Amino acid sequence: MRKIEIFDTTLRDGEQSAGINLNTAEKLEIAKQLERFGASIIEAGFPASSPGDFEAVQRIAGTVKNSIVTGLARAIKKDIDITWDALKKAEQPHIHVFLATSPIHMQYKLNKTPDQVVEAAVEAVKYAKNTFPLVQWSAEDAFRSDREFLVRIINEVIKAGATTINIPDTVGYASPAEYGALFKFLRENVTGSDKVNFSAHCHDDLGMAVANSIAAIENGANQVEGTINGIGERAGNAALEEIAVAMHIRKDIYGIETGINLQEIKRTSQLVSKLTGVVIQPNKAIVGKNAFAHESGIHQDGMLKNPETYEIITPALIGESAVPLVLGKHSGRHAFKDRAETMGFDLSDDKINRAFAEFKKLADRKKEITEEDLLTLLTDQQIQHEEIPVYELKSVQVQYGTENIPTATVQVIQPDGEEVTVASTGSGSVEAIFNTLELLINSKVEILDYRVTSVGKGRDALGEAVVNLTYNDQKVTGRDAAQDVLEASAKAYLNTINRQIIQSSLRVKELIS
Ligand SMILES: [Zn+2]
């Protein structure tokens, strides 16, 4: 079977989309999960864009071993140098250099003639090739570029040493037939096209990103780029889990091997959704809550007689297990730790102890602890920052009645260690909590978005709250889970504030060092 490389850009193209801000610990968690998922290449960030991105790419390159780690760079020496610094310790250093090639981008964005663009691309690839064994070059907005010009510039960058050529549909404008035809044309007209990888990178503005990526595969692409859950700029990127499952279910027509571990799909999807705060639409193919739900009576009847009447994919294929968790109220620390390890968590003793204490608390209040609950608990510990003092919620109490003004009383330990209690009112319980916390942190906060969802099923399911706000003129998203939605909301609010405190204190540290 033909092998297609899966290039994941959840941490770069996905992360740069509106409302998402992941810290280094969270990016590292996602990268480790992407490695288990089986991505051939992980684009960990854009190192020259910020010290935070640099640090994340460097940490990921030092941790991930079974996937190639890459970083994005503009076609300039400074970016390439910084990217090399971030990636030089990687198993196989790989760089992704891009330069726009469409008439509109060259004229208005770059203010360069086509000749100057060719020269800049060649120079950048040659320069990158001095250090990087693997150089991917992207023709930004390739789909809207002149075909003959594309052939010319690709010929030149291959001569300069590029090992992969990416042909993005940056604005999501292509149709499958056209995008496939472009790959066929380039394969036939580029000199030495059989010696390099051709890569597809599609955006979903017209809802055709996955279809376009598959059309590229059918026409000679041997790498596809995309993100988990299809997150990304505007309407997002091609959803990698959809491509991987489509290739598997229809291997009869495609004959393609992706190397993706399908059993890791569910967990990867949930982790990305949880840490980015981007909810998965219920009807989303493969990973949506309803992707395997059969509602109509005729369908249910058919399913009972033979599942294959209406089911082409089983939940088990993507790692959604129906087997209950063996852990419960009476499980010991040892069994808990074992379970955490089989789930792929590598936590310090301190963190295991704290997660275990949380688990015990939850087991007292909840009948059945699910794998999702455990994942929530362990992930929260894993990404916890220990060194920087932040706000910690001690207790929250809300008085609510349909005839009363809701009042919240909150007890919090401040970053300086002092414990304070504050009370305030609001027009609803959540607003009362938020108003009280705002008094406490003594700064103007504007709530941009707030959501509560349940983790898993059942009436005693954990509630997870996501808060997006501006604090100190910075947009931040945070989240937390608890069995009660009001407690989850208070914790999520403080988590958001804490993230901003950690981010700015790390920034100060960077400036000093
Ligand atoms: Zn993109």
Side-chain angles (χ1 to χ4, degrees):
M1 267 203 280
R2 220 174 111 212
K3 170 89 197 303
I4 295 295
E5 308 297 338
I6 298 291
F7 179 115
D8 180 282
T9 183
T10 304
L11 295 172
R12 203 276 302 164
D13 213 325
E15 214 265 342
Q16 80 190 32
S17 58
I20 299 181
N21 67 319
L22 296 169
N23 61 34
T24 301
E26 291 164 337
K27 286 180 185 173
L28 196 62
E29 272 321 290
I30 292 178
K32 288 196 293 197
Q33 182 56 33
L34 289 170
E35 186 182 24
R36 283 191 282 262
F37 169 70
S40 306
I41 301 169
I42 297 170
E43 187 162 48
F46 184 174
S49 70
S50 75
D53 250 44
F54 178 88
E55 193 211 354
V57 174
Q58 194 178 40
R59 292 268 307 271
I60 291 167
T63 308
V64 167
K65 297 295 166 215
N66 297 321
S67 306
I68 291 172
V69 178
T70 190
L72 184 71
R74 286 168 297 182
I76 51 178
K77 284 184 175 168
K78 186 188 109 217
D79 275 27
I80 296 167
D81 288 338
I82 294 173
T83 309
W84 173 247
D85 273 343
L87 284 164
K88 59 188 170 196
K89 298 231 171 74
E91 294 274 292
Q92 291 183 76
H94 179 295
I95 188 170
H96 178 192
V97 183
F98 73 99
L99 191 61
T101 52
S102 65
I104 186 165
H105 277 233
M106 291 193 289
Q107 187 182 347
Y108 294 99
K109 196 180 80 176
L110 301 176
N111 203 8
K112 278 190 162 96
T113 65
D115 287 346
Q116 287 171 321
V117 169
V118 175
E119 197 184 318
V122 167
E123 211 178 300
V125 170
K126 268 191 188 153
Y127 188 71
K129 196 68 186 190
N130 286 333
T131 45
F132 285 93
L134 300 169
V135 178
Q136 167 167 325
W137 180 77
S138 265
E140 192 192 2
D141 204 16
F143 181 73
R144 294 193 300 173
S145 303
D146 176 72
R147 282 182 166 201
E148 297 303 330
F149 179 63
L150 272 182
V151 170
R152 176 184 160 204
I153 194 165
I154 293 170
N155 280 338
E156 294 302 319
V157 294
I158 291 176
K159 268 194 256 164
T163 47
T164 299
I165 303 295
N166 185 31
I167 309 295
D169 178 19
T170 306
V171 294
Y173 184 69
S175 72
E178 290 171 304
Y179 195 60
L182 177 59
F183 276 78
K184 186 164 186 284
F185 174 81
L186 294 174
R187 274 292 193 201
E188 286 169 358
N189 290 282
V190 165
T191 314
S193 64
D194 53 330
K195 296 192 177 60
V196 295
N197 279 333
F198 271 83
S199 175
H201 178 111
C202 298
H203 280 271
D204 210 29
D205 297 70
L206 296 174
M208 294 196 271
V210 168
N212 286 346
S213 305
I214 293 174
I217 293 173
E218 289 179 294
N219 286 280
N222 32 20
Q223 175 177 303
V224 280
E225 306 192 358
T227 58
I228 300 300
N229 300 337
I231 63 169
E233 288 266 55
R234 308 184 309 278
N237 289 63
L240 289 178
E241 69 280 2
E242 292 181 20
I243 295 174
V245 172
M247 290 300 115
H248 174 79
I249 296 291
R250 299 309 312 273
K251 51 180 170 286
D252 57 328
I253 53 166
Y254 296 117
I256 295 289
E257 175 60 56
T258 61
I260 291 300
N261 181 2
L262 302 176
Q263 292 283 307
E264 290 292 336
I265 286 180
K266 186 76 185 177
R267 181 162 165 199
T268 314
S269 162
Q270 289 194 324
L271 182 72
V272 168
S273 169
K274 180 178 163 56
L275 297 186
T276 57
V278 179
V279 180
I280 304 165
Q281 78 196 62
N283 59 321
K284 161 92 176 56
I286 317 297
V287 291
K289 224 180 199 159
N290 296 344
F292 303 107
H294 300 272
E295 273 302 310
S296 106
I298 295 173
H299 286 209
Q300 286 177 347
D301 181 54
M303 284 289 292
L304 288 173
K305 287 171 179 151
N306 180 349
E308 280 180 27
T309 47
Y310 287 102
E311 191 171 70
I312 61 159
I313 314 161
T314 62
L317 180 77
I318 61 156
E320 198 172 326
S321 76
V323 186
L325 203 68
V326 282
L327 288 181
K329 207 168 152 171
H330 302 292
S331 304
R333 186 184 171 280
H334 193 76
F336 179 79
K337 191 172 178 225
D338 270 359
R339 184 70 197 196
E341 275 163 12
T342 33
M343 286 170 79
F345 286 93
D346 176 23
L347 293 161
S348 68
D349 275 354
D350 265 9
K351 287 187 170 182
I352 277 286
N353 288 344
R354 248 175 297 150
F356 185 61
E358 289 293 316
F359 163 76
K360 279 288 186 190
K361 250 197 271 173
L362 187 65
D364 271 342
R365 294 163 73 172
K366 195 166 182 281
K367 229 175 33 224
E368 206 179 286
I369 310 271
T370 64
E371 176 119 4
E372 274 169 304
D373 295 334
L374 216 53
L375 206 59
T376 302
L377 251 160
L378 290 164
T379 310
D380 281 348
Q381 284 303 328
Q382 183 88 303
I383 57 181
Q384 205 75 247
H385 231 281
E386 283 159 325
E387 304 94 62
I388 297 159
V390 290
Y391 289 100
E392 195 190 319
L393 184 74
K394 285 243 16 182
S395 71
V396 55
Q397 194 185 344
V398 180
Q399 264 179 315
Y400 174 81
T402 45
E403 304 299 317
N404 300 336
I405 294 171
T407 309
T409 311
V410 179
Q411 214 182 351
V412 164
I413 301 173
Q414 300 191 124
D416 61 9
E418 197 192 332
E419 195 177 307
V420 287
T421 305
V422 192
S424 186
T425 58
S427 49
S429 301
V430 173
E431 200 198 341
I433 292 174
F434 287 0
N435 288 347
T436 311
L437 291 169
E438 189 171 349
L439 278 180
L440 193 114
I441 57 168
N442 199 13
S443 176
K444 184 89 197 86
V445 171
E446 195 191 337
I447 304 285
L448 303 170
D449 196 11
Y450 160 72
R451 265 194 322 268
V452 180
T453 46
S454 66
V455 177
K457 304 175 184 90
R459 70 166 72 186
D460 62 353
L462 281 181
E464 182 162 59
V466 178
V467 177
N468 180 228
L469 50 75
T470 52
Y471 170 58
N472 288 342
D473 296 323
Q474 304 247 1
K475 256 192 215 176
V476 218
T477 306
R479 73 199 163 264
D480 214 326
Q483 208 177 17
D484 183 90
V485 292
L486 293 179
E487 185 188 340
S489 305
K491 282 166 79 183
Y493 185 102
L494 279 184
N495 172 267
T496 314
I497 301 295
N498 289 341
R499 291 169 70 87
Q500 207 280 328
I501 293 174
I502 291 168
Q503 265 175 29
S504 47
S505 116
L506 289 177
R507 221 170 288 135
V508 171
K509 264 198 204 154
E510 267 158 17
L511 289 174
I512 297 167
S513 59

